[in-house]
Amino acid sequence: MVFNAKSVYDTDFSVFVPLHNFAAPVAGSVDYPISAAWMIRGVLLLGIILFVADLSQSKRWLLRLWYVIGLVGGSIAFLGLLQKATGTLMIFWLPPPPYPVRVTTFFATYYYHGNAGAFLNLGWALTARLVIRAFTSGSHPWTRAMWTSVFLVTVAAVLANTSRMAQLLALLLLLAICLQFGSLLLRNLSGGKSVALAGALAIGLALIALAQAIHLEQPLKRWQTESQRISTDARWKVSRVAMRALPNAGLFGFGPGTFRIVFPTYNRSGSNQVSGTWRFLHQDYLQTLLEWGWVGGTLWALLFF
C-alpha cells in the first residue's frame, strides 16, 4: 500500500496529486507521506510486541515487566491527578496554546482523555493482579502497601479522567476481577476481618478526600448531561459519513493513517456535513476498516484479539 501509493494529498489546495506508481491496477495508499510515517510506527510497534512476547517466556522477566507496567501506570495516573488538583490548563503546567487550538480534554501526558482512559484501564487492571498476588503469596507488608497505593491512584485517575467509556469499561473490568478472584481474597483475609474492615474504611475516607481534591464533580457532571448530548453528539454524524465511505475502501482500505484526508472529501459530498476538523473518527474499529480495508482489519484483529 505504501510503495504503490497512488497520490499525495495537497493540504493547501485540498486535492490529491497523482503519483507514478509501479502497479496501477493494484491497491495503493491515497497519501504516501502519511502512510509511510504510519508504517514506521507500525513496524516499531510490531517489534516491541515480538520483544515483549519473547521476554515474557521467562517467568522472572514476565514479573519484572509487570512491575514496570504497574509503576509507570501509577506514575502517569499520579501526574494526571496532580494536574487535576492544581487546575492546570495544559500538560506539565505549560501555558495553554492560543484559541482555537486549545486542548481541554488532556489528562496526564495524553492530549485526548479517551486515550488516557484506555491506558489507565490497562494499568490498573494489571496492578490489581499485583495487589492480589501480594495478599495471597505472603508478601512483605511494605509490598502490599505499595501496590495497594498504586492501585488506588490508578483507579482514582480513571474516575477523575472525563472519559465515560473508559469509566464504563473500568466498571466491567472490576466486576470481572471480583468474580474471578473475590473468593480467593476473602479466604486469605478471613483471619483478619477487623484489620480488613479498618483498612477498607481508611481507603474509603482517603478516596473521599481525593475526590474533593481532584474535582471529581467534573466527570459526574458529564454523566448527568449525557442523556441530553447523546442524540446531538457530532460523532454520530461523523460515523455516518464514514459508513458512506466504507464501500469504497475495498479489501485494502485507503492506506494507513489516511482517515484525516479521506474524511473531508466524503464530508463535503454529503448532504449532512459535519463542521470542524476531524483527525480521528473516535470509532477505532470503523477507522481501521477505512484505512486498512477488510484484509488489513482482519489481520490486526487476529493479532490483538
Side-chain angles (χ1 to χ4, degrees):
M1 290 294 290
V2 174
F3 291 127
N4 194 47
K6 304 286 187 181
S7 58
V8 172
Y9 185 69
D10 189 323
T11 55
D12 292 331
F13 296 97
S14 300
V15 295
F16 292 91
V17 181
L19 291 177
H20 178 71
N21 54 354
F22 61 86
V26 182
S29 172
V30 297
D31 187 273
Y32 172 76
I34 288 179
S35 292
W38 203 106
M39 287 308 299
I40 291 173
R41 301 187 192 108
V43 169
L44 292 173
L45 174 63
L46 290 173
I48 292 170
I49 290 173
L50 291 173
F51 171 74
V52 172
D54 183 62
L55 204 60
S56 297
Q57 301 304 308
S58 164
K59 291 184 178 180
R60 175 183 296 179
W61 277 103
L62 175 62
L63 196 56
R64 288 175 177 175
L65 283 170
W66 209 317
Y67 287 157
V68 169
I69 293 171
L71 292 173
V72 170
S75 66
I76 291 180
F78 185 66
L79 172 64
L81 293 177
L82 278 180
Q83 291 175 167
K84 283 280 186 180
T86 55
T88 181
L89 298 177
M90 194 55 196
I91 298 173
F92 295 125
W93 293 269
L94 295 173
Y99 186 84
V101 294
R102 183 178 176 184
V103 180
T104 59
T105 59
F106 70 92
F107 187 87
T109 55
Y110 288 87
Y111 279 98
Y112 181 57
H113 58 190
N115 296 340
F119 174 81
L120 291 170
N121 276 339
L122 292 173
W124 82 257
L126 292 176
T127 306
R129 188 63 184 92
L130 290 173
V131 173
I132 295 169
R133 182 179 183 274
F135 278 93
T136 56
S137 62
S139 298
H140 193 279
W142 283 107
T143 303
R144 298 182 182 183
M146 181 187 73
W147 289 121
T148 302
S149 301
V150 174
F151 169 72
L152 291 174
V153 166
T154 50
V155 169
V158 173
L159 297 176
N161 186 31
T162 52
S163 174
R164 293 171 299 245
M165 181 56 68
Q167 292 166 356
L168 180 61
L169 291 175
L171 179 61
L172 296 176
L173 278 172
L174 184 60
L175 291 175
I177 290 173
C178 290
L179 290 174
Q180 181 72 22
F181 299 106
S183 59
L184 178 65
L185 275 175
L186 288 175
R187 284 197 303 269
N188 281 270
L189 295 174
S190 59
K193 291 183 179 179
S194 58
V195 176
L197 183 60
L201 182 60
I203 289 171
L205 292 174
L207 286 176
I208 293 173
L210 188 62
Q212 296 292 329
I214 62 177
H215 303 289
L216 196 58
E217 72 278 359
Q218 294 176 0
L220 290 176
K221 287 179 181 178
R222 283 176 61 87
W223 276 108
Q224 292 170 355
T225 58
E226 182 61 20
S227 59
Q228 305 169 2
R229 296 180 63 255
I230 287 179
S231 59
T232 59
D233 197 314
R235 282 176 284 193
W236 293 110
K237 298 180 181 179
V238 175
S239 294
R240 283 196 286 269
V241 174
M243 290 296 295
R244 195 168 69 247
L246 187 58
N248 295 331
L251 291 176
F252 299 98
F254 292 107
T258 56
F259 169 78
R260 70 182 71 173
I261 60 172
V262 170
F263 176 78
T265 302
Y266 286 91
N267 188 33
R268 287 193 297 267
S269 62
S271 55
N272 296 321
Q273 296 184 8
V274 185
S275 61
T277 301
W278 294 80
R279 289 173 54 86
F280 305 102
L281 180 56
H282 299 279
Q283 217 291 15
D284 295 338
Y285 304 106
L286 183 54
Q287 182 173 335
T288 300
L289 290 177
L290 285 174
E291 295 182 349
W292 294 82
W294 294 102
V295 172
T298 302
L299 292 174
W300 278 118
L302 289 173
L303 175 65
F304 282 106
F305 299 122

